[in-house]
């Protein structure tokens, strides 16, 4: 019994309420607990009810775990004072919560008629498919009706998108997009004291302060629930106050003391954010009861005396004492609340445990990657500007009206497509480092800010985590963000904003929340006269590993324009997160093979022409029936076309070259058809051999589906890309493709 701390804490509360003496409630329901306080007796009792309800959910989770019917025991016990925040914020103040937010959710849901927050939470705890937010995919705090997007983060990685949403509240109004939120809405983002040290959290605080410094509104309330440690690692005493109490452009409020004092401190913090539109750091001391989770053997790193000292700070016990001593409630009233809540939650837990769970692959993955090609195609074709309006936009000469056919580079086509899309879709915003006045490092966004203004095309601070956080927050308000990550290598600094946050939102909210976006990422290798591995990153494995993430990778200008329209339509229609990977070395390339041949230029396809996943690019060489199928993308496509010309000219061999265009999902079914038609397949993958390119997936799929022909691949060396001419020692070259093709054909003949 010594280590059954749940029973000890419950028994301590019961004993206190049994022994408490009071002559009876001395306050009317509308009277404040103390003179000048905004917390009335009625509100205090309701708050106590919500906190006890949250506590009993934690008790039920652990009881269900004893019979293997619960799958989640990270509780809110000891953090119930966050209910004070939930009770005072409005339902239309978006809330990004960490996992100890039971009290907050119970208080917030109280204000929504017909809500059943306790039973909904229990459905999540038992992983039932009837859980109204995640449908059994995870236990999360979330609700569409309560404007609580679900978070699965344990390391504060939700802070950047909370900042992004706060940043975007005013911007939506500025550009005339309806967000559905009132003009004075604020954002709440909660986290623990340990998470406040994480680089992702520090990036969010910095970005919020930076915004204020340059004169932008940032109405966000950072709620730090300080329980003194992270699992077994203590936070130094006073660390949070020392770190955050005196930062410029960040207010600080310490909410401590009795519940009415906490209430008034929270009210002041909320009012300050709402009135000034500036961030406030709300420091809420808490305790953590019963370890980090049910599996945490707290006694291995804390003595019994330390645990008992923590339990003495139980907020429910303290609040009960405060209600009784102020005359807001009688002991028997509070005993009845505790007894009735226990009975109600225990019965609900038994019922929840009987509810169905996810059991099929189709059910689990249903909301992860929705795709409706007919609707996406219709979306891509909609809202095209009139020709004369486009002519005015482009200064009199449309990009498709060049006097010289096939005169556009890849960069030029992307710039024109962005211009067209922004003109016909007012919800689009484009942002990143150096892309406003400068027009981008490679001039791809040149002129966009001049045409559409700084509200829609703007520069950010140098922080990829914050760029992707802004994108997520903006997307949840109805904008369609097109952020740019300046180089592919820089994306790895912030990859979890895609992997753990953006790409998971539809999955864990059952498609009730979306953060559609198209992330432009200049990348890959082969830049001439400019290099080093940070500007020539030839690995995409970390992106292809993210479930549901779409990766578009155009090679030519005309394809880039069509694919960008398709990517934007996918994001708008199905809520998808798309990475638009642009090969830097081909931005301004004009020639295919020899200087002056202009073989890599193209005409600009006017809107609404679009390309969607699954559509391959086909290139045939003259010389009869193709004997070799070469499959590639980006720079590899250009090299493959050079090799195909040499195979025909020097060896009389005709080839068919396929441009994958989409690297996730791969157009695998069409590849199988093409492979069977031609007979021999060579995959040219410009990424590193073990760097997560596409060759492994293509070869494995063909083999597993019974392809009887010969297969081979050409890939880059497992090396970072060096500077200067040394790149030729590690990157795929035309000669390698020619040699591999000849070897493959020779094997096919002798087989």
């Amino acid at each position: 019994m010594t280590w059954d701390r749940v029973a000890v804490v419950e028994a301590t509360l019961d004993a206190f309420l049994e022994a408490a003496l009071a002559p009876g409630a001395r306050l009317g329901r509308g009277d404040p607990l103390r003179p000048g306080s905004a917390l009335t007796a009625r509100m205090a009792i309701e708050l106590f009810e919500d906190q006890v309800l949250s506590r009993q959910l934690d008790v039920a989770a652990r009881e269900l775990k004893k019979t293997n019917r619960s799958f989640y025991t990270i509780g809110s016990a000891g953090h119930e004072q966050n209910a004070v925040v939930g009770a005072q914020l409005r339902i239309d103040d978006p809330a990004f919560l960490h996992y100890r937010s039971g009290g907050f959710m119970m208080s917030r849901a109280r204000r929504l008629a017909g809500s059943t927050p306790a039973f909904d939470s229990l459905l999540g705890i038992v992983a039932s498919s009837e859980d109204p937010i995640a449908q059994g995919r995870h236990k999360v705090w979330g609700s569409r009706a309560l404007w609580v997007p679900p978070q699965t983060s344990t390391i504060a990685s939700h802070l950047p998108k909370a900042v992004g949403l706060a940043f975007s509240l005013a911007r939506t109004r500025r550009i005339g997009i309806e967000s559905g939120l009132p003009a004075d809405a604020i954002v709440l983002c909660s986290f623990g004291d340990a998470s406040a040290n994480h680089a992702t959290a520090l990036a969010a605080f910095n970005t919020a302060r930076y915004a204020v410094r340059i004169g932008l509104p940032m109405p966000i309330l950072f709620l730090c629930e300080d329980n003194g440690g992270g699992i077994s690692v203590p936070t130094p005493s006073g660390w949070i106050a020392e770190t955050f109490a005196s930062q410029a452009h960040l207010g600080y409020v310490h909410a401590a003391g009795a519940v009415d004092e906490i209430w008034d401190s929270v009210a002041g913090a909320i009012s300050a954010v709402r009135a000034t539109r500036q961030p406030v750091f709300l420091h809420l001391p808490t305790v953590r009861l019963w370890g980090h989770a049910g599996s945490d053997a707290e006694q291995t790193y804390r003595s019994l005396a330390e645990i008992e000292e923590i339990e003495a700070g139980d907020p429910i016990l303290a609040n009960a004492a405060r209600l009784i001593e102020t005359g807001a409630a009688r002991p028997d009233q509070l005993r009845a609340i505790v007894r009735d809540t226990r009975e109600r939650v225990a019965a609900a837990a038994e019922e929840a445990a009987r509810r169905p769970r996810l059991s099929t692959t189709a059910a689990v993955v249903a909301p992860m990657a929705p795709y409706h090609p007919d609707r996406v195609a219709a979306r891509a074709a909609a809202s095209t500007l009139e020709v004369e309006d486009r002519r005015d936009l482009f200064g009199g000469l449309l990009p498709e009206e060049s006097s010289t056919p096939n005169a556009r580079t890849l960069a030029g086509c992307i710039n024109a497509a962005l211009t067209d899309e922004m003109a016909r879709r007012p919800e689009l915003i484009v942002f990143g480092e150096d892309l406003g006045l400068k027009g981008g490092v490679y001039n791809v966004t040149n002129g966009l800010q001049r045409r559409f203004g700084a509200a829609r095309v703007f520069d950010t601070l140098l922080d990829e985590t914050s760029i992707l956080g802004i994108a997520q927050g903006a997307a949840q308000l109805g904008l369609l963000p097109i952020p740019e990550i300046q180089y592919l290598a820089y994306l790895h600094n912030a990859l979890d904003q895609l992997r753990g946050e953006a790409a998971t939102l539809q999955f864990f909210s059952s498609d009730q929340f979306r953060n559609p976006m198209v992330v432009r990422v200049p990348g890959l290798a082969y830049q001439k006269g400019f290099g080093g591995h940070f500007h020539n990153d030839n690995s995409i494995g970390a992106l292809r590993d993210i479930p549901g993430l779409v990766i578009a990778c155009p090679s030519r200008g005309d394809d880039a324009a069509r694919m960008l329209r398709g990517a934007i339509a996918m994001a708008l229609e199905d809520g998808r997160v798309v990475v638009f990977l642009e090969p830097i070395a081909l931005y301004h390339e004009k020639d295919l093979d020899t200087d002056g041949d202009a073989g890599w230029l193209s005409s600009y396809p006017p809107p609404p022409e679009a390309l969607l996943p699954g559509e391959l690019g086909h290139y045939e060489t003259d010389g009869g029936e193709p004997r070799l199928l070469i499959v590639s993308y980006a720079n590899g496509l250009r090299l493959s076309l050079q090799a195909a010309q040499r195979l025909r000219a020097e060896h009389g061999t005709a080839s068919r070259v396929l441009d994958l265009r989409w690297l996730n999902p791969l157009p695998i079914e069409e590849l199988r058809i093409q492979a069977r038609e031609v007979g021999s397949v060579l995959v040219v993958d410009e990424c590193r051999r073990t760097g997560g390119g596409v060759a492994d997936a293509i070869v494995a799929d063909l083999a597993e589906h019974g392809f009887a022909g010969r297969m081979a691949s050409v890939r880059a060396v497992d090396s970072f890309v060096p500077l200067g001419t040394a790149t030729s020692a590690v990157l795929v070259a035309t000669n390698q493709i020619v040699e591999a093709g000849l070897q493959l054909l020779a094997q096919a003949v002798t087989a």
Side-chain angles (χ1 to χ4, degrees):
M1 184 68 176
T2 302
W3 290 111
D4 186 359
R5 305 316 302 178
V6 175
V8 169
V9 170
E10 290 281 273
T12 300
L13 178 62
D14 290 344
F16 170 79
L17 292 176
E18 284 293 337
L21 298 175
R26 298 185 299 275
L27 298 178
R29 290 177 64 79
D31 293 333
L33 266 66
R34 60 181 170 83
S37 175
L39 181 62
T40 66
R42 177 186 59 81
M43 292 188 295
I45 292 172
E46 290 179 349
L47 193 67
F48 183 80
E49 292 173 346
D50 296 334
Q51 293 175 322
V52 171
L53 184 57
S54 173
R55 177 67 59 85
Q56 292 310 306
L57 292 176
D58 294 339
V59 174
R62 291 171 182 246
E63 288 299 312
L64 289 168
K65 181 64 176 175
K66 294 176 181 177
T67 53
N68 295 318
R69 294 181 293 167
S70 166
F71 302 93
Y72 191 88
T73 54
I74 297 179
S76 304
H79 280 244
E80 287 89 358
Q81 297 291 38
N82 60 34
V84 175
V85 186
Q88 295 192 66
L89 286 172
R90 301 187 313 219
I91 291 177
D92 53 12
D93 290 325
F96 294 75
L97 306 177
H98 75 148
Y99 43 64
R100 302 195 195 279
S101 299
F104 180 100
M105 286 296 289
M106 299 306 108
S107 287
R108 191 171 179 110
R110 172 184 285 277
R111 299 153 70 190
L112 181 66
S115 62
T116 55
F119 189 59
D120 294 346
S121 299
L122 288 164
L123 290 172
I125 287 169
V126 301
S128 171
S129 57
E130 293 181 354
D131 167 20
I133 186 65
Q135 296 181 353
R137 295 176 185 87
H138 195 37
K139 165 63 182 74
V140 294
W141 297 115
S143 167
R144 179 72 264 184
L146 296 176
W147 236 114
V148 180
Q151 313 304 318
T152 62
S153 166
T154 60
I155 53 169
S157 59
H158 59 301
L159 270 72
K161 60 183 176 182
V163 168
L165 197 145
F167 168 84
S168 301
L169 281 168
R171 196 154 298 253
T172 55
R173 293 189 297 276
R174 186 176 170 187
I175 63 179
I177 299 299
E178 178 55 52
S179 70
L181 297 175
D184 65 343
I186 70 173
V187 177
L188 181 280
C189 184
S190 66
F191 49 92
D193 53 292
S195 292
N197 298 298
H198 197 276
T200 307
L202 297 175
F205 302 139
N206 183 70
T207 298
R209 297 172 54 236
Y210 183 96
V212 175
R213 178 64 178 79
I214 64 175
L216 297 175
M218 182 55 68
I220 185 167
L221 181 64
F222 291 113
L223 173 58
C224 180
E225 300 181 23
D226 183 0
N227 64 28
I231 306 183
S232 66
V233 180
T235 297
S237 177
W239 175 251
I240 294 299
E242 291 171 12
T243 305
F244 296 101
S246 58
Q247 290 199 12
H249 314 298
L250 179 65
Y252 175 84
V253 174
H254 189 224
V259 65
D260 45 314
E261 295 174 302
I262 293 173
W263 182 278
D264 293 336
S265 295
V266 169
I270 292 172
S271 296
V273 177
R274 206 177 298 282
T276 66
R277 317 308 288 165
Q278 294 186 8
V280 169
F281 189 100
L282 178 59
H283 183 188
L284 179 66
T286 67
V287 296
R288 190 197 70 191
L289 301 177
W290 311 338
H292 176 72
S295 58
D296 177 23
E298 192 175 24
Q299 65 271 24
T300 63
Y301 56 88
R302 281 182 177 154
S303 68
L304 178 57
E306 289 173 320
I307 292 173
E308 289 176 338
E309 181 181 359
I310 290 170
E311 292 171 353
D314 179 2
I316 291 182
L317 186 64
N319 291 351
R322 185 64 170 162
L323 265 63
I324 293 170
E325 73 181 22
T326 59
R330 301 185 309 274
D332 63 311
Q333 283 180 279
L334 302 186
R335 285 198 300 270
I337 289 171
V338 172
R339 181 185 63 249
D340 293 347
T341 303
R342 284 175 179 162
E343 293 174 356
R344 183 158 48 96
V345 171
E350 290 299 318
E351 177 59 29
R354 291 191 287 267
R355 296 302 176 95
R357 297 171 182 160
L358 295 171
S359 59
T360 67
T361 300
V364 170
V365 304
M368 186 173 66
Y371 182 46
H372 304 88
D374 292 342
R375 284 161 36 188
V376 171
R379 174 82 73 146
S383 305
T384 303
L385 294 180
E386 296 295 330
V387 171
E388 290 309 312
D389 292 333
R390 289 186 63 234
R391 198 180 301 280
D392 291 341
L393 182 68
F394 285 101
L397 183 67
L398 292 174
E400 64 267 29
E401 293 180 338
S402 173
S403 58
T404 304
N406 297 326
R408 289 261 166 187
T409 62
L410 173 66
C413 284
I414 293 174
N415 178 274
L418 284 170
T419 301
D420 269 324
E421 289 299 288
M422 292 194 73
R424 67 178 179 142
R425 304 190 189 281
E427 66 270 39
L428 264 63
I429 56 174
V430 173
F431 54 92
E433 301 163 14
D434 302 307
L435 56 67
L437 287 175
K438 181 175 174 61
V441 173
Y442 295 93
N443 218 36
V444 177
T445 58
N446 181 46
L448 292 183
Q449 190 177 81
R450 174 177 51 80
R451 289 181 177 124
F452 300 105
R456 296 185 62 197
V457 182
F458 54 91
D459 291 320
T460 66
L461 74 176
L462 199 157
D463 178 39
E464 288 75 24
T465 293
S466 293
I467 291 171
L468 294 176
I470 290 169
Q472 293 174 77
Q476 292 191 46
L477 289 182
L479 298 172
L480 195 285
I482 306 182
E484 177 185 288
I485 302 298
Q486 201 166 82
Y487 289 97
L488 175 59
Y490 298 174
L491 180 62
H492 299 292
N493 299 329
L495 192 65
D496 194 52
Q497 290 300 303
L498 291 181
R499 182 196 64 82
E501 298 295 335
T504 67
L505 184 60
Q506 285 176 274
F507 184 73
F508 289 120
S509 72
S510 308
D511 204 18
Q512 296 172 69
F513 286 93
R514 293 179 166 190
N515 47 203
M517 66 185 73
V518 178
V519 185
R520 291 185 48 249
V521 184
L524 304 173
Y526 295 96
Q527 292 188 82
K528 297 176 182 177
F530 188 71
H533 69 286
F534 271 108
H535 301 95
N536 285 281
D537 186 2
N538 63 339
S539 176
I540 59 172
L543 289 171
R544 292 198 66 248
D545 186 55
I546 300 174
L549 184 73
V550 178
I551 306 174
C553 188
S555 305
R556 298 173 51 87
D558 48 2
D559 277 0
R562 296 185 184 101
M563 291 171 69
L564 183 59
R565 294 173 194 140
I568 289 171
M570 286 182 68
L572 288 170
E573 183 62 36
D574 286 325
R576 300 297 292 274
V577 178
V578 183
V579 168
F580 201 77
L581 182 60
E582 302 166 5
I584 296 174
L586 299 180
Y587 268 150
H588 303 293
E589 181 61 65
K590 298 178 180 180
D591 303 322
L592 168 58
D593 196 2
T594 59
D595 291 345
D597 67 21
W600 211 250
L601 296 173
S602 64
S603 296
Y604 176 71
E609 294 182 33
L611 284 171
L612 303 181
E615 300 181 61
L616 289 157
H618 293 243
Y619 301 87
E620 301 276 352
T621 56
D622 297 331
E625 193 72 19
R627 297 175 53 211
L628 179 65
L629 181 70
I630 308 177
V631 181
S632 194
Y633 60 94
N635 299 286
L637 177 70
R638 181 167 175 265
L639 299 174
S640 296
L641 290 172
Q642 293 171 356
Q645 288 185 3
R646 284 183 50 186
L647 285 168
R648 177 184 59 79
E650 299 172 11
H651 303 280
T653 298
S655 305
R656 177 178 299 166
V657 180
L658 296 182
D659 183 1
L660 290 169
R661 291 175 171 160
W662 305 90
L663 305 185
N664 201 42
L666 286 167
I668 205 70
E669 294 183 3
E670 179 64 21
L671 282 176
R672 294 174 198 153
I673 295 171
Q674 296 288 334
R676 286 193 295 269
E677 285 185 5
V678 177
S680 293
V681 178
L682 177 63
V683 182
V684 177
D685 190 344
E686 66 176 279
C687 288
R688 299 195 294 267
R689 177 164 294 277
T690 57
V694 299
D696 286 350
I698 292 171
V699 171
D701 181 86
L702 291 175
E704 290 171 358
H705 285 81
F707 175 62
R710 292 281 178 171
M711 294 182 287
S713 67
V714 179
R715 316 182 203 187
V717 174
D718 283 333
S719 168
F720 297 109
V721 179
L723 191 65
T725 57
T727 58
S728 61
V730 299
L731 298 179
V732 173
T734 302
N735 286 341
Q736 292 175 279
I737 302 172
V738 171
E739 292 171 6
L742 291 173
Q743 291 177 8
L744 187 61
L745 292 173
Q747 293 170 1
V749 170
T750 58

